[in-house]
Amino acid sequence: MTTESRVLTVGSLRVAVVRKPIKNLHLGVYPPDGRVRVAAPLLVSDAAVRVAVISKLRWIKRQQAAFEGQERESDREMVNGESHYFLGWRYRLDVMETQGPGRIVVRNRRILELHTRSGWGARQRERLLHQWYREQLRELVPPLIEKWQVALGVEAAGWGIKKMKTRWGSCNATARRIWLNLELAKKPPQCLEYLIVHELVHLLVRNHDDRFHALMDRHLPRWRLARRTLNAAPLAHETWEY
């Protein structure tokens, strides 16, 4: 796919513009800091992009203000007493040294026990937690994929989990492959289901047009609530869309 990327200045805004072989222009404002991004057809001029951005300035400012006021996780030091999230629940981290392999144990929806080797630093402990998050998602995702493939009459060629800095999920409609952000392990279960449905619907409709919204409304009537819940949940400390 041919793409062209550049940055335009519109008043005080810096706007990332990506031109692709698409039919319609799409404008988004993304957490954590309200970054503005425009996906535009290849032949759309800079002037037309600026007009589109200016026409949405009030909406852009509202989105940026919402992100600015959103709760954020503090920098992760991976020490006793820190708060960490799993499936929308807040847990207290207890770090425990062990002679065996590192592992995570959940206690009563209140405590995450992080069993680590002696001498492990913050990054090694964090890698263990991220590995555990990935393992949990690999158990949670397959039944949801199977359920919604049947409901929607689609079939993905594959799916994967990875850390993404700017998106909760993505769909390569040509390859029929979807990706889910590792951060979803921290969010409520309805958010994970919403993202899976969202990406699978993209196998039927590539853009967020009226048909896309109609399919979401038909199959997951409360999807907007799930989206609001997702975007209202605490953001990860790292810079990391919908």
Side-chain angles (χ1 to χ4, degrees), residues 167-169 180-181 183-184 187 195 230-231 240-242:
R167 302 182 67 87
W168 288 111
L180 302 169
N181 195 322
E183 288 287 308
L184 287 167
K187 311 308 178 186
L195 251 297
L230 177 63
N231 287 326
W240 83 262
E241 140 186 74
Y242 268 95

Side-chain angles (χ1 to χ4, degrees), residues 57-98:
L57 273 180
R58 292 181 64 183
W59 177 81
I60 290 170
K61 296 298 184 183
R62 287 199 302 270
Q63 299 303 307
Q64 291 179 328
F67 290 139
E68 186 175 350
Q70 192 169 345
E71 181 183 357
R72 297 172 188 272
E73 295 179 9
S74 59
D75 196 2
R76 305 288 82 184
E77 297 180 15
M78 304 303 296
V79 296
N80 285 325
E82 273 188 351
S83 291
H84 289 262
Y85 290 83
F86 175 55
L87 297 183
W89 291 85
R90 189 173 186 170
Y91 291 83
R92 180 186 186 276
L93 187 69
D94 278 1
V95 180
M96 310 174 73
E97 291 191 358
T98 181

Side-chain angles (χ1 to χ4, degrees), residues 171-202:
C171 174
N172 184 322
T174 302
R176 305 189 69 77
R177 183 174 184 85
I178 68 173
W179 290 99
L180 302 169
N181 195 322
L182 182 63
E183 288 287 308
L184 287 167
K186 301 179 183 180
K187 311 308 178 186
Q190 63 267 31
C191 296
L192 175 62
E193 185 166 27
Y194 154 65
L195 251 297
I196 288 172
V197 177
H198 183 121
E199 303 308 340
L200 288 174
V201 169
H202 276 312

Side-chain angles (χ1 to χ4, degrees), residues 91-160:
Y91 291 83
R92 180 186 186 276
L93 187 69
D94 278 1
V95 180
M96 310 174 73
E97 291 191 358
T98 181
Q99 298 301 313
R103 62 194 178 100
I104 304 289
V105 178
V106 179
R107 301 289 185 196
N108 302 321
R109 284 195 172 178
R110 294 177 54 243
I111 304 294
L112 276 182
E113 290 181 0
L114 185 70
H115 295 255
T116 75
R117 294 288 188 91
S118 176
W120 275 15
R123 297 287 75 84
Q124 289 168 300
R125 296 174 180 181
E126 189 173 50
R127 280 197 294 271
L128 174 61
L129 181 59
H130 287 175
Q131 177 184 331
W132 182 77
Y133 280 147
R134 189 179 298 274
E135 291 168 355
Q136 303 311 302
L137 285 179
R138 290 201 176 279
E139 291 185 7
L140 293 166
V141 169
L144 290 171
I145 293 275
E146 182 177 356
K147 169 187 173 180
W148 286 104
Q149 284 185 146
V150 172
L152 294 167
V154 299
E155 184 173 354
W159 62 275

Side-chain angles (χ1 to χ4, degrees), residues 4-54:
E4 174 192 336
S5 303
R6 62 176 305 179
V7 175
L8 291 180
T9 300
V10 183
S12 61
L13 290 178
R14 287 174 56 83
V15 179
V17 180
V18 180
R19 287 186 170 82
K20 304 178 179 181
I22 56 179
K23 293 182 179 179
N24 301 307
L25 182 146
H26 303 281
L27 186 153
V29 182
Y30 303 119
D33 54 1
R35 176 179 60 90
V36 181
R37 179 181 182 273
V38 172
L42 293 170
L43 298 181
V44 169
S45 67
D46 287 353
V49 171
R50 286 191 172 93
V51 169
V53 171
I54 291 170

Side-chain angles (χ1 to χ4, degrees), residues 206-229:
R206 296 198 177 196
N207 300 317
H208 298 114
D209 57 16
D210 290 345
R211 182 175 173 230
F212 176 90
H213 291 142
L215 284 168
M216 292 295 296
D217 289 339
R218 182 192 312 163
H219 292 282
L220 199 67
R222 296 171 63 84
W223 69 271
R224 290 177 178 83
L225 176 59
R227 183 178 63 180
R228 286 197 298 272
T229 301

